[in-house]
Amino acid sequence: MNQEVILRVQDLETEFSTDDGIVQVLHGVSFDVKKGRTLGLVGESGSGKSVTAMSIMGLLPQPYGRVTRGKVLYREKDLLQLSAKEMYAMRGDRISMIFQDPMTALNPVYTIGKQLNEVLELHRPELNKKQRSLYSLEMLKKVRIPMAEKRLDEYPHHLSGGMRQRVMIAMALACKPDILICDEPTTALDVTIQAEILRLMKALQEETGMAMIFITHDLGVVAEICDDVAVMYGGKVLETADVFELFDYPQHPYTKRLLGLMPDLDRPGKQMIPFEPIDPTLFPEFRK
Ligand SMILES: Nc1ncnc2c1ncn2[C@@H]1O[C@H](COP(=O)(O)OP(=O)(O)OP(=O)(O)O)[C@@H](O)[C@H]1O
Ligand SMILES: [Mg+2]
């Protein structure tokens, strides 16, 4: 098994300026992402999963959000030290992200073909126009979009939620990233389509060897797709472990409690971490 670390997040602290002053959201987040493996980032709403992803990608809302401490090492290079221009080139090229709602990332006024073409124009300058169209088609077929030729001329609103999510995956994968960050990409989809998309992503990962960070509330999804897991709470990572180890021998009281809330991880279906924060006074041993 290849255990080479491709992304090392170290002691990340992120804060926002708000009307009520400065709010620190991440309090020293650290984890490693290994080549060809999937790290699940789990935790209840507000625990800082999306802010962690945005901090890594250099996509914190400006000028309110900033990383005040820590490193994001990608192949020994600290992404936090890159200029805006260098980071822009890195995004999409080496590190891609898929968001929860594909409509926020797809442009409603352009056809699918034009949007794929744009991504390729930016990140695969060696391709000419004809090669770009062929490659776009190939990508849509790869994510198993039926009638791919026809889809190139359609607009996002013509497609179902599951199809849009596949287009997003096609766009994210078009540049063959080393790392793909997925922020709840299947939460809005029904269980069957979700399972299909997860299988597809796993297959594409096996083919390309990319690493993934998979943010989710669904421990059923974690069991299905992740190799490693980092459990977040209150802007910190409480515990990281191999997925089997985490499910069988959770160490942290909070993780034990989360797992205790799940009906049966061997059964298919959504196994959601509650969106409401768990009251930490319910497990006093938590504060250690
Ligand atoms: N632009 C912002 N300004 C101020 N605070 C913010 C901003 N964005 C996020 N936060 C705060 O950061 C904390 C973490 O938010 P984040 O979106 O990372 O949570 P999450 O774990 O992704 O939750 P969910 O599971 O609901 O997506 C929350 O308390 C949130 O209110
Ligand atoms: Mg989020």
Side-chain angles (χ1 to χ4, degrees):
M1 197 189 296
N2 198 333
Q3 294 282 319
E4 183 193 335
V5 172
I6 192 159
L7 190 80
R8 175 160 282 167
V9 176
Q10 268 178 351
D11 211 13
L12 208 57
E13 294 188 0
T14 297
E15 63 181 32
F16 288 99
S17 302
T18 71
D19 289 346
D20 300 322
I22 287 174
V23 180
Q24 189 178 340
V25 169
L26 300 186
H27 302 267
V29 168
S30 303
F31 54 79
D32 288 346
V33 185
K34 293 164 196 149
K35 191 165 189 289
R37 285 171 71 91
T38 301
L39 173 84
L41 205 54
V42 303
E44 60 199 36
S45 265
S47 55
K49 304 181 296 293
S50 295
V51 170
T52 300
M54 298 294 186
S55 303
I56 295 171
M57 294 291 289
L59 287 175
L60 288 169
Q62 293 302 312
Y64 311 103
R66 68 203 148 260
V67 177
T68 52
R69 195 189 145 100
K71 290 184 178 155
V72 177
L73 297 169
Y74 165 71
R75 297 183 183 279
E76 318 286 308
K77 192 187 278 188
D78 186 1
L79 298 185
L80 299 178
Q81 301 302 323
L82 297 185
S83 67
K85 196 168 162 223
E86 288 168 322
M87 196 57 213
Y88 183 77
M90 185 70 82
R91 270 196 305 271
D93 208 22
R94 308 285 20 120
I95 308 181
S96 278
M97 183 158 172
I98 300 178
F99 298 88
Q100 176 166 6
D101 175 11
M103 279 318 262
T104 55
L106 291 174
N107 190 327
V109 301
Y110 292 133
T111 61
I112 303 298
K114 186 172 163 76
Q115 297 189 56
L116 270 166
N117 184 65
E118 243 172 38
V119 174
L120 292 173
E121 231 171 11
L122 198 63
H123 294 289
R124 300 287 301 275
E126 76 279 11
L127 302 181
N128 64 31
K129 193 160 182 254
K130 177 131 194 287
Q131 288 168 323
R132 285 198 300 272
S133 329
L134 282 174
Y135 193 63
S136 299
L137 189 60
E138 195 187 309
M139 288 312 294
L140 290 188
K141 287 184 176 159
K142 188 157 263 186
V143 295
R144 295 183 208 129
I145 291 199
M147 298 181 288
E149 285 89 353
K150 187 169 152 259
R151 303 298 178 195
L152 285 173
D153 297 324
E154 289 187 339
Y155 291 87
H157 68 265
H158 290 133
L159 307 183
S160 66
M163 287 296 151
R164 279 184 213 138
Q165 204 53 281
R166 281 166 204 252
V167 171
M168 280 298 305
I169 296 171
M171 282 168 80
L173 294 179
C175 310
K176 302 197 167 76
D178 275 347
I179 303 169
L180 180 62
I181 303 181
C182 309
D183 195 351
E184 313 231 21
T186 57
T187 309
L189 306 174
D190 79 45
V191 178
T192 343
I193 296 169
Q194 166 172 300
E196 212 173 289
I197 291 197
L198 292 181
R199 270 199 300 277
L200 173 69
M201 295 186 75
K202 207 76 202 139
L204 292 169
Q205 180 180 38
E206 269 159 31
E207 193 186 312
T208 61
M210 68 181 174
M212 289 201 272
I213 299 178
F214 206 95
I215 298 177
T216 181
H217 275 88
D218 190 339
L219 291 179
V221 168
V222 171
E224 175 108 22
I225 200 171
C226 297
D227 304 295
D228 304 291
V229 190
V231 181
M232 286 193 74
Y233 180 86
K236 283 192 191 133
V237 172
L238 297 184
E239 177 167 6
T240 40
D242 171 278
V243 66
F244 298 111
E245 216 176 284
L246 189 100
F247 283 155
D248 289 344
Y249 310 103
Q251 296 296 311
H252 198 284
Y254 178 76
T255 316
K256 287 181 188 164
R257 175 151 179 101
L258 272 188
L259 293 173
L261 294 171
M262 299 304 132
D264 179 0
L265 282 168
D266 290 330
R267 274 210 327 256
K270 300 205 175 196
Q271 311 260 347
M272 305 301 273
I273 294 173
F275 283 79
E276 288 299 310
I278 297 174
D279 178 359
T281 57
L282 290 175
F283 40 110
E285 71 278 35
F286 174 67
R287 305 221 166 267
K288 61 173 192 183

